[in-house]
Amino acid sequence: MNLKWLMLPFLCFIIEADHEVKIGAIFSFGTSNGKVARIAMEAAVRDVNSNPSLLSGRKLALTLHDSNYSGFLGIIGALQFMETDIVAVVGPQSSVMARVLSHLVNQLHVPLLSFTALDPTLSPLQYPYFIQTAPNDLFLMTAIADIISYFQYKEVVAIFSSDDQGQNTIAALGDKLAERRCKISYKAILPPDEPISNRDLIAAELVKVASMESRVIVLHTLSTTGLKVFEIAQELGMMTSGYVWIATPWLSSTLESTSVSPKVASSIQGALTLRLHTPDSPKKRAFSSRWNELSNGSIALNTHGLYAYDTVWMIAYAVKEFFDHGGKITYSNDSNLNSFAGETMNLAALSIFDGGNQLLSYILKTNMTGVSGPIAFNADRSMSRPSFDVLNVVGKGLLRQIGYWCNYSGLSVVPPESLYAKPANRSSSTQRLDQVIWPGKTTKRPRGWVFPENGRPLRIGVPRRVSYRAFVSEEEGSGVVHGYCIDVFLAALKCLPYPVPHKFIMFGDGHKNPSYSQLVNMITANVFDAAVGDIAIVTNRTKISDFSQPYIDSGLVLVVRVKKIRSIAWAFLRPFTPLAWGVIAAFCLVVGTVVWILEHKFNDEFRGPPKKQVVTILWFSFSTIFGAPRENTVSTLGRIVLLIWLFVMLIITSSYTASLTSFLTVQQLSSSIKGIESLVTSNEAIGYQVGSFVENYLFEEVNIAKSRLVPLGSPEEYADALEQGRVAAVVDERPYVDLFLSTYCGFQKVGPEFTKSGWGFAFRRDSPLAIDMSTAILQLSEKGELEKIRNKWLQRKVCREESSAADSEQLQLKSFWGLFLICGVAGCFAVLVYFCSMLHQFRRHFPELTQPSSTCSTSKTRISRSLRLKKFLSFVDDKAEISANRLKRKRMEMETNDH
């Protein structure tokens, strides 16, 4: 009996051990998040164990290990857990440790769940036993990218810790910004260690950030490091108006769980931050009301506490499913570790959890509603419907909610759960946040960028032109720059909502026009910050610089010499080609003959001796050129033919008048160049303006040999080269050509513009000023200011000899062939109908001549045919009244013979 009583405590221990389900937790419990997580997990274990039926009489046993900011200690703790046969591990706190421990749990089949190690690159394919029980940082970076895009910022500076989670998360931010045509312009990397010893390093990085152009800063680091960054930033004057600070959820969780000093509170005023969204629910309110009792008032609850509580419950529900489906907690030795038996670390004691894969599958099938809201996993193991609260730090470290973000519909001012029943809509018109109080306690949205190097004046390169100085020029000795391009630039600056300190720096030697491509290249070389002038926006330049909206349209055109047509005696014949004149004359005769045929039998004006009738035909034919003829037409067919012909002559005479006027008044080209096509096929020399892109364009794009290209430096050289025939044409941009033609009147543009472009202001790549200047130029255009500036400098004087008409050309026969065809068909048809009608009347009047006799000989038949033809021609030639009288007389004779 004594032996039994002595063995009883040992047996109870064995029975109790068999009824425990062991789980572990690895955290740095000295941090605020670690403290909150510890309290929440212990509360969850007690709540689970308070329901004996949940785990079929078994109880959860939680073992805690403090990694104390050390990855090495975290690994040691995990090894100790594995020796005690646990079924799951909660943690670790950082993604660096999660990556290392995942290899361990993969080997031993123990699920590892973390709500803080949210590195988006922790792939379930590589780490199948690692589960993120909160939305990973890919969704966080998507939310931040949407906020940056919502406020229309194009560049940001990222400050982050140089660990895996910091680097991978910021890389994800860069990808999401690129999708929205934004970018990270600078990355400030901080050490992941305790920041107290790295104050100088933080200050040095912030000084670099302050010298950057972008004023939008994303801060992603540890809470202790982050608060130190804000403190030093305030000392450097970086928490004033003009700056935009966006902190990741470390800031919201710190402010929720701990109180900060007034100095720290003032340093973070105006910053934006995010917080994992946890919808209001009875469970959440009940747990929040218990928190003071659970924590003894030592620390406030934050979202990490909610997710820690739910993570333990996820394990509990999965264990319940595991047991309900007949699972047993058993372990087997890992043969790979047998070689370590007898070593100090006793790695051979580690064993594989036989039911680990089954328990993992039940965890991934979780579908519950916890204190943090609905919990479920997508097919890729990400949390279903991730969402965040968007917060603004105001007052003494208080958090003011200004909206929400969810992966379903983006930014809104209503809770995400109210949007899930509606169709997803992420259009820009539906994205909305409440008003923000920015650093400096202003509600005006910061511009988000400043000029580099602490706002020094913008260095603007201006071409020192030798010719066409109306576009841009410098007053001798004064250094004052003026001209059309300068006035447009200064007017656009006045439209900007902020001042732009600047200074003009002339570029060029003053002896010839500078190379504009070289001027743009000097922006890339950091010699200039921008370039202002008559700079064409062409492909090669847009590859290295950003351009504003064009403020004047441009394009390449051809200019050639023109001359006045000589007044010659036969100039009136020039409108038509000889063939056209011949066809018109022939048709006049044909139409006169047709009308004579149709009118001869019925109209006395078309009768008489043969000589008179020939004269009538000729007179009638050519009198139609000048209008309706003197002779009247009485037949229907004759009137139809005449009407059609008069319409044809109306078109011909109108065209003749217009063409002759053009020939006598319009200047004619002195060369065969009609456009770019004829210029390319010729072998003549071509002039271009020194310094422009025309030379490269003609050589590279149009394939014109450089030996044909002649550089010209001024309008005077243009005129001289064209007059002397040294060049057949000059190729230049339309604004220059218009100005040239306003002074030199013996020249003319030929052909259409064969390129389309414009002039704009050049800036550094991705400069926000390029976008703002484009908006300003559009405003000037809408108000009519651009036209006023253009009229001031480029008012064109119209030469007396200049005409806007195009080149005159002789009228070809093909221009009228349709009219002649209609007229010819109508005439032939009328003659055919007329002769058919005459034949019908002839047969009716002379039936005896139209019936052939079968008894007649061949010679008599020939005589009768000849007689019939003569009778028919005589019938046609006779006037209609004479034919009727003869017919009446013949009938009377026939009646007398019968009696």
Side-chain angles (χ1 to χ4, degrees):
M1 289 294 295
N2 293 335
L3 181 60
K4 292 181 180 180
W5 283 108
L6 290 175
M7 299 241 352
L8 184 60
F10 180 72
L11 293 173
C12 292
F13 173 78
I14 294 175
I15 294 173
E16 183 179 356
D18 290 339
H19 285 76
E20 281 187 347
V21 179
K22 298 178 182 179
I23 63 174
I26 303 175
F27 267 86
S28 295
F29 293 115
T31 64
S32 58
N33 288 337
K35 294 175 183 178
V36 171
R38 178 174 186 165
I39 297 171
M41 288 187 291
E42 290 175 343
V45 169
R46 288 195 296 270
D47 292 344
V48 170
N49 292 336
S50 65
N51 186 356
S53 62
L54 183 64
L55 299 180
S56 303
R58 298 174 178 86
K59 294 183 179 295
L60 283 182
L62 176 64
T63 304
L64 302 175
H65 177 76
D66 189 356
S67 61
N68 196 23
Y69 306 100
S70 172
F72 174 74
L73 294 180
I75 296 173
I76 297 301
L79 292 172
Q80 292 175 347
F81 286 156
M82 299 303 114
E83 292 179 3
T84 58
D85 295 339
I86 63 173
V87 299
V89 178
V90 180
Q93 194 165 346
S94 69
S95 296
V96 178
M97 290 177 58
R99 196 177 300 274
V100 175
L101 296 183
S102 292
H103 292 286
L104 178 62
V105 297
N106 286 350
Q107 184 70 23
L108 302 180
H109 297 182
V110 177
L112 179 66
L113 296 82
S114 178
F115 50 88
T116 54
L118 303 177
D119 186 343
T121 64
L122 289 170
S123 168
L125 295 177
Q126 184 179 6
Y127 308 112
Y129 281 86
F130 177 70
I131 306 170
Q132 293 171 329
T133 60
N136 69 43
D137 286 345
L138 179 64
F139 300 106
L140 172 65
M141 294 300 109
T142 305
I144 292 178
D146 279 346
I147 293 172
I148 292 169
S149 178
Y150 172 79
F151 289 114
Q152 301 178 359
Y153 298 130
K154 296 299 180 183
E155 292 186 10
V156 301
V157 172
I159 303 177
F160 59 97
S161 298
S162 60
D163 54 20
D164 287 354
Q165 183 166 346
Q167 294 174 351
N168 295 332
T169 300
I170 294 301
L173 174 62
D175 294 339
K176 292 302 177 181
L177 288 174
E179 294 175 3
R180 293 153 180 80
R181 302 186 68 181
C182 308
K183 71 171 188 176
I184 299 175
S185 59
Y186 181 74
K187 295 180 180 180
I189 304 177
L190 303 178
D193 302 326
E194 183 66 26
I196 298 177
S197 60
N198 296 305
R199 179 182 176 87
D200 293 340
L201 193 150
I202 294 174
E205 283 296 329
L206 289 180
V207 168
K208 293 179 184 178
V209 172
S211 65
M212 298 295 159
E213 188 172 333
S214 176
R215 286 293 185 262
V216 182
I217 303 170
V218 176
L219 181 57
H220 179 62
T221 184
L222 302 175
S223 58
T224 49
T225 304
L227 293 178
K228 186 61 64 175
V229 169
F230 275 118
E231 181 182 340
I232 298 174
Q234 186 180 37
E235 295 173 0
L236 295 175
M238 299 175 64
M239 294 305 300
T240 56
S241 59
Y243 280 90
V244 176
W245 286 83
I246 303 176
T248 48
W250 66 264
L251 180 58
S252 61
S253 61
T254 300
L255 295 179
E256 283 182 327
S257 58
T258 61
S259 59
V260 295
S261 65
K263 182 180 180 181
V264 172
S266 65
S267 69
I268 58 178
Q269 197 280 328
L272 296 179
T273 186
L274 294 97
R275 176 180 60 199
L276 286 167
H277 176 67
T278 54
D280 186 34
S281 66
K283 283 188 176 182
K284 179 181 176 181
R285 289 194 296 269
F287 184 72
S288 299
S289 64
R290 295 171 52 200
W291 184 257
N292 283 335
E293 179 183 350
L294 296 173
S295 63
N296 293 321
S298 61
I299 195 169
L301 175 66
N302 60 25
T303 53
H304 288 90
L306 300 178
Y307 277 91
Y309 184 85
D310 284 342
T311 300
V312 173
W313 272 98
M314 289 170 60
I315 297 173
Y317 282 123
V319 170
K320 178 181 184 302
E321 290 293 318
F322 176 78
F323 287 138
D324 289 348
H325 287 81
K328 294 183 179 181
I329 300 177
T330 60
Y331 296 86
S332 58
N333 292 331
D334 188 347
S335 59
N336 294 324
L337 298 176
N338 289 337
S339 59
F340 294 97
E343 298 291 339
T344 304
M345 293 185 65
N346 195 22
L347 295 179
L350 300 177
S351 55
I352 297 174
F353 177 28
D354 296 327
N357 189 45
Q358 187 179 3
L359 180 62
L360 176 67
S361 65
Y362 292 135
I363 294 175
L364 295 176
K365 293 177 183 178
T366 297
N367 188 1
M368 57 175 274
T369 299
V371 294
S372 62
I375 300 173
F377 292 97
N378 295 321
D380 60 354
R381 293 196 183 185
S382 63
M383 296 297 292
S384 178
R385 292 181 173 175
S387 55
F388 293 89
D389 299 331
V390 183
L391 308 171
N392 183 201
V393 182
V394 295
K396 298 179 179 180
L398 301 177
L399 293 173
R400 170 176 165 265
Q401 186 151 347
I402 60 172
Y404 304 88
W405 179 91
C406 66
N407 198 43
Y408 183 73
S409 57
L411 298 170
S412 68
V413 293
V414 296
E417 49 270 16
S418 64
L419 301 174
Y420 294 139
K422 303 176 182 178
N425 187 355
R426 295 180 66 94
S427 63
S428 58
S429 60
T430 62
Q431 305 298 290
R432 185 184 169 192
L433 291 175
D434 286 336
Q435 190 177 60
V436 179
I437 300 176
W438 303 97
K441 298 182 180 180
T442 177
T443 57
K444 182 180 179 181
R445 183 182 71 88
R447 187 173 66 198
W449 64 275
V450 295
F451 299 106
E453 298 183 16
N454 293 321
R456 61 162 172 74
L458 210 63
R459 299 167 299 176
I460 301 176
V462 178
R464 183 179 275 111
R465 291 200 59 87
V466 176
S467 60
Y468 296 113
R469 294 171 60 84
F471 293 107
V472 58
S473 61
E474 181 186 23
E475 290 185 6
E476 294 293 338
S478 66
V480 178
V481 184
H482 54 72
Y484 167 72
C485 302
I486 302 300
D487 279 7
V488 172
F489 179 75
L490 295 177
L493 288 185
K494 293 180 181 179
C495 295
L496 300 181
Y498 50 85
V500 180
H502 62 276
K503 61 179 179 179
F504 294 118
I505 302 174
M506 303 306 296
F507 173 72
D509 57 11
H511 300 294
K512 64 178 181 180
N513 294 332
S515 169
Y516 281 58
S517 295
Q518 186 179 353
L519 173 61
V520 175
N521 284 332
M522 295 183 75
I523 299 176
T524 306
N526 199 29
V527 177
F528 298 131
D529 299 313
V532 171
D534 45 337
I535 305 172
I537 305 173
V538 295
T539 304
N540 289 338
R541 297 171 186 172
T542 58
K543 290 179 180 178
I544 59 176
S545 294
D546 280 354
F547 281 83
S548 67
Q549 171 84 13
Y551 57 86
I552 186 172
D553 292 332
S554 180
L556 294 182
V557 294
L558 293 178
V559 180
V560 298
R561 182 173 173 245
V562 296
K563 64 180 181 179
K564 195 76 172 178
I565 189 172
R566 291 181 299 166
S567 298
I568 59 176
W570 303 101
F572 66 90
L573 294 176
R574 290 179 60 88
F576 293 119
T577 61
L579 179 61
W581 279 119
V583 172
I584 292 173
F587 258 81
C588 286
L589 293 175
V590 170
V591 170
T593 303
V594 169
V595 173
W596 177 82
I597 292 173
L598 300 176
E599 293 290 323
H600 177 73
K601 190 173 182 65
F602 310 101
N603 195 338
D604 291 336
E605 294 184 4
F606 288 87
R607 300 188 63 80
K611 182 178 181 180
K612 178 185 176 183
Q613 294 184 47
V614 171
V615 173
T616 300
I617 292 174
L618 294 175
W619 167 255
F620 183 86
S621 299
F622 293 101
S623 64
T624 55
I625 297 175
F626 310 101
R630 179 177 60 82
E631 291 80 7
N632 293 324
T633 53
V634 296
S635 68
T636 301
L637 292 174
R639 289 176 176 177
I640 292 173
V641 172
L642 180 61
L643 181 63
I644 294 174
W645 177 244
L646 289 177
F647 174 74
V648 172
M649 291 310 301
L650 174 65
I651 301 299
I652 291 175
T653 53
S654 299
S655 302
Y656 173 83
T657 303
S659 182
L660 181 61
T661 302
S662 177
F663 269 107
L664 295 178
T665 58
V666 175
Q667 295 175 335
Q668 301 301 299
L669 301 180
S670 62
S671 71
S672 60
I673 303 300
K674 307 295 182 184
I676 186 62
E677 293 82 5
S678 57
L679 182 66
V680 173
T681 56
S682 70
N683 291 319
E684 299 185 79
I686 305 166
Y688 68 92
Q689 184 181 171
V690 175
S692 71
F693 71 95
V694 176
E695 179 184 13
N696 289 335
Y697 178 83
L698 294 177
F699 174 69
E700 297 174 0
E701 302 295 334
V702 190
N703 297 321
I704 295 178
K706 283 195 174 182
S707 58
R708 294 176 56 192
L709 304 179
V710 179
L712 303 172
S714 66
E716 294 79 9
E717 292 187 29
Y718 285 14
D720 184 66
L722 289 169
E723 289 283 357
Q724 296 182 10
R726 288 192 290 115
V727 297
V730 172
V731 178
D732 208 347
E733 296 180 74
R734 181 158 53 87
Y736 299 124
V737 171
D738 289 342
L739 203 58
F740 170 74
L741 295 178
S742 69
T743 306
Y744 297 89
C745 300
F747 309 92
Q748 181 176 303
K749 291 184 291 187
V750 293
E753 294 182 23
F754 53 92
T755 65
K756 291 292 184 182
S757 62
W759 291 354
F761 306 128
F763 299 92
R764 287 183 176 179
R765 201 72 171 158
D766 298 321
S767 171
L769 191 57
I771 300 173
D772 292 347
M773 287 295 285
S774 295
T775 304
I777 289 172
L778 290 176
Q779 292 176 0
L780 292 176
S781 178
E782 293 170 357
K783 295 177 181 178
E785 294 296 325
L786 283 183
E787 189 65 25
K788 292 179 182 178
I789 298 173
R790 181 168 182 164
N791 292 337
K792 173 185 174 182
W793 290 98
L794 309 178
Q795 186 65 46
R796 188 178 177 190
K797 304 171 185 176
V798 179
C799 299
R800 290 180 301 171
E801 300 177 359
E802 186 178 359
S803 172
S804 61
D807 304 339
S808 297
E809 299 284 350
Q810 285 186 308
L811 297 174
Q812 305 290 328
L813 178 62
K814 61 183 180 181
S815 302
F816 305 102
W817 73 269
L819 294 173
F820 287 128
L821 178 62
I822 293 173
C823 185
V825 171
C828 294
F829 180 75
V831 171
L832 180 63
V833 171
Y834 175 75
F835 276 107
C836 290
S837 175
M838 289 297 101
L839 183 61
H840 176 71
Q841 294 180 25
F842 178 74
R843 288 178 175 177
R844 192 179 63 181
H845 293 166
F846 302 98
E848 71 281 2
L849 295 178
T850 58
Q851 297 177 357
S853 176
S854 60
T855 60
C856 294
S857 63
T858 302
S859 60
K860 289 182 179 182
T861 302
R862 292 176 180 172
I863 294 173
S864 64
R865 288 178 180 176
S866 175
L867 180 61
R868 285 198 302 270
L869 179 61
K870 290 180 180 180
K871 284 289 186 180
F872 178 72
L873 293 176
S874 175
F875 176 77
V876 172
D877 183 63
D878 287 344
K879 193 175 179 181
E881 292 81 356
I882 296 175
S883 298
N885 291 335
R886 287 182 179 178
L887 179 60
K888 185 177 180 181
R889 193 182 308 117
K890 184 175 181 180
R891 287 178 177 176
M892 292 175 63
E893 291 176 357
M894 292 176 65
E895 291 176 357
T896 303
N897 294 333
D898 291 340
H899 289 294

